[in-house]
Amino acid sequence: MARRMPESPGGPANLADILERVLDKGIVIAGDIKINLVDVELLTIKLRLLVASVDRAKEMGIDWWERDPALSSKAADRRLREENEQLRRRLAHGDALPDPALESADPALIEENLRLRELLAAEGIDADDEEDRQ
Amino acid sequence: VNTPAERPTASYLYAVCRRPPGPEPPEDLPGGLEGLGGPGEPIGVHGGPVRALADGDLVAIVETVPVDEFAEDALQRRLADLAQLEWLARAHHGVVQAVGARAPTAPMRLATVCRDDAAVRHVLRAEADRLNQVLARVAGRSEWSVKAYGRLTARPAGTHATATPGGPAAPGRGRDYLRRRRMARDSAEAARAALVREAAELDERLTAYADDVVRLAPHAPDAGTGDAFPISLFNAAYLVSDERVGDFRAAASAPVSDALRVEVSGPWVPYSFATPDLDEAPGPAPDDTPGDRGPGDRRETRP
C-alpha cells in the first residue's frame, strides 16, 4: 500500500536496519522504546517489547541477541562448568567422562578443564575414553 | 480514511527540514511536497497525506492521526505487536526517506505524536537552535550502513575432535585430546583475531572517508548468509559527504579476504546523526502559550 520510496541499492531496507534507526537509542526489540507524546510538556512512556513479542521477533528473524556470540557462549560455558565439576569429582573418585564438543566457551574455563585433565592424566587416568563417540 | 469530524486527532511528526528561502517562504519543503502523500497516495502511518507546518525558518512534516489509535495506551499495544510495529516503522521510514530525498532532514523517532499543530510549531520554536545545528551538520551528507560478518576458514588438521569411529578407548587418548584441544583453541583464537583485525582495518578505512561514525549493536547474520558467516564483527553507520560517497562506497566494496563478508546499504536519511532527543527538550516557558491552547490550525508568527 505504501509507495516505494528510494531505497538502498540492494532493495527494500531490512527491518532490523529500520528499527534500529527509528526506535530510540538504536536497539530495539530487546529494549525500551521511548515515545514522545507532546502535550505542551513531553511525556515519555516506555514499552517493553521483549515480553510481548520475543516469539514474533524470532519468527521474523530478528533474534540477533540470541545469536550474539557473547550470549550464546553462555550455554557452552555452562556445559564446560558442568564437565569441570564432573572432572573435579572424578579426581576424587578416579573415573572419567569427557565432553570435548565445546568451541565457544570461556577460555578460562577451557584452561581449567585442561588443567583438570592434566591432573587426571598424571594420576594415570585417561580422561577421554569416549570423547569422540557421536 | 474517513475520520468522523468529532473524532479527536493529533499531529504525527515525521521530520523537520529547513523552510525554503525567500522573503515570504511558503509553508512547504524546499523541494515541495509533490508526490509525497496526497489523495490517492496514502503513505503515512495512518494512511493519510502528509502536510508541512512551518515556524520561523523550519518546517515540520506531519500527518493528522486519530488520538484513539496514537495515544499512549493504543501505541503501547500496537508497537508491542511485531506485525504492526513493522508496518508503522516502514510507513514512518517511507515518509522520512521521501522527505530526505528532497531536503536535508532531521528525522524524528517512530511515534512522535503532538497533541495538535500548535504543539508541533511549539517544538519547532523551542528546539530551533538544536534542529538548525543538526540540519547544518547533515546537509550534503548521507548515512551509510556497513556490517561485517566473518567465518573461521582454515581448520588445521587435527583440530577436529573426531577419531576412529566407534573405536574403543585407547591408552593415551586423554593426552591426545589435550593436545588437540590446545591446538584447536590456539588456531581458532588466531583465526578470530585475524578476522577482528581485518574488520577493524576496514572500519578504519571507511572512517577515514566519513565525517562521523556511530557503532550500532551487531545484528545476527541474515538467514541466507548466516551459515556461511556466523560471526558478527561490526555494524556501523557512517555520515559521508556527497563528495566522498564515491570513494567511501569503493572502499566499502573493495575485495576482502574470503573469511569476511561486508554488507553495505545506503544512502539512509541520517537517522543515526540527526535524530534529536526531544524528550530532553525543555518544557515551554510559562508565558509561551498564554491563555487557551488554540485549535490545530492556529498560526504562530515570528518576527
Side-chain angles (χ1 to χ4, degrees):
Chain A
M1 56 188 71
R3 264 166 26 92
R4 273 284 145 239
M5 292 301 140
E7 281 292 7
S8 8
N14 154 312
L15 179 60
D17 283 339
I18 295 179
L19 288 181
E20 75 181 346
R21 286 174 170 79
V22 304
L23 300 181
D24 196 19
K25 307 293 182 234
I27 270 205
V28 153
I29 294 289
D32 297 333
I33 304 179
K34 282 186 191 155
I35 292 179
N36 300 315
L37 269 167
V38 186
D39 179 7
V40 179
E41 84 273 25
L42 293 153
L43 171 64
T44 300
I45 62 172
K46 296 199 168 205
L47 289 183
R48 302 197 179 273
L49 281 187
L50 182 63
V51 178
S53 61
V54 67
D55 289 341
R56 288 272 191 79
K58 274 192 225 166
E59 279 168 27
M60 299 186 60
I62 309 175
D63 57 350
W64 63 83
W65 64 87
E66 292 219 330
R67 287 193 261 167
D68 183 329
L71 299 178
S72 63
S73 67
K74 278 183 185 137
D77 287 355
R78 194 172 55 243
R79 288 179 60 197
L80 205 44
R81 248 185 222 106
E82 285 165 7
E83 178 178 330
N84 288 355
E85 194 46 49
Q86 273 190 355
L87 288 172
R88 234 179 255 113
R89 268 186 259 119
R90 286 162 53 214
L91 261 181
H93 296 102
D95 67 333
L97 272 178
D99 181 2
L102 300 155
E103 287 284 313
S104 54
D106 182 345
L109 285 170
I110 293 176
E111 202 51 55
E112 183 186 2
N113 186 276
L114 296 179
R115 271 202 314 277
L116 290 165
R117 285 169 179 280
E118 273 168 351
L119 287 171
L120 274 173
E123 301 270 320
I125 299 164
D126 199 343
D128 293 298
D129 288 352
E130 295 175 20
E131 66 166 283
D132 296 325
R133 296 236 176 107
Q134 294 291 17
Chain B
V1 177
N2 272 333
T3 307
E6 70 277 14
R7 195 177 175 192
T9 59
S11 298
Y12 183 103
L13 178 55
Y14 288 96
V16 174
C17 302
R18 266 191 218 286
R19 203 170 183 177
E24 280 186 49
E27 194 166 21
D28 201 354
L29 281 178
L33 280 169
E34 198 68 28
L36 223 178
E41 283 186 329
I43 60 167
V45 290
H46 189 57
V50 298
R51 301 175 285 123
L53 282 178
D55 187 275
D57 53 2
L58 294 173
V59 57
I61 303 303
V62 301
E63 178 182 357
T64 302
V65 296
V67 167
D68 57 7
E69 288 180 40
F70 286 85
E72 182 176 335
D73 50 349
L75 279 173
Q76 284 267 13
R77 202 172 56 247
R78 296 175 71 196
L79 296 186
D81 176 296
L82 202 69
Q84 292 203 50
L85 172 65
E86 171 166 20
W87 195 90
L88 287 169
R90 289 195 183 279
H92 178 92
H93 173 63
V95 171
V96 168
Q97 192 85 345
V99 170
R102 287 161 168 77
T105 296
M108 296 297 138
R109 300 284 182 205
L110 184 68
T112 302
V113 182
C114 300
R115 167 166 284 277
D116 54 21
D117 287 357
V120 174
R121 289 199 171 91
H122 170 79
V123 169
L124 293 184
R125 198 173 333 120
E127 295 290 309
D129 288 349
R130 196 144 51 136
L131 288 166
N132 273 311
Q133 267 173 22
V134 154
L135 287 168
R137 183 168 170 238
V138 300
R141 295 177 174 86
S142 56
E143 175 172 336
W144 290 79
S145 157
V146 180
K147 301 196 236 354
Y149 302 100
R151 61 179 174 184
L152 302 178
T153 45
R155 239 199 143 96
T159 56
H160 260 302
T162 54
T164 45
R173 286 182 61 199
R175 255 147 299 186
D176 292 346
Y177 171 68
L178 274 180
R179 236 171 276 130
R180 284 199 304 275
R181 280 295 298 173
R182 283 238 159 93
M183 282 173 60
R185 186 196 55 198
D186 292 349
S187 65
E189 266 175 20
R192 238 172 245 274
L195 264 185
V196 169
R197 198 163 50 242
E198 188 179 1
E201 285 164 5
L202 172 67
D203 180 36
E204 209 171 294
R205 284 197 300 279
L206 297 178
T207 302
Y209 291 111
D211 293 318
D212 203 354
V213 55
V214 170
R215 268 87 192 181
L216 306 168
H219 288 199
D222 286 342
T225 60
D227 292 340
F229 294 89
I231 303 169
S232 250
L233 292 164
F234 73 84
N235 173 20
Y238 302 86
L239 184 67
V240 185
S241 69
D242 295 346
E243 308 86 71
R244 290 204 277 184
V245 154
D247 291 339
F248 177 87
R249 294 184 70 179
S253 55
V256 289
S257 80
D258 62 357
L260 206 65
R261 179 189 155 80
V262 182
E263 289 178 3
V264 185
S265 74
W268 289 83
V269 172
Y271 284 106
S272 305
F273 306 94
T275 303
D277 283 320
L278 287 187
D279 53 88
E280 289 166 13
D287 60 343
D288 198 33
T289 49
D292 63 297
R293 197 189 298 132
D297 59 359
R298 187 182 57 145
R299 283 300 300 245
E300 302 286 339
T301 51
R302 275 170 72 109

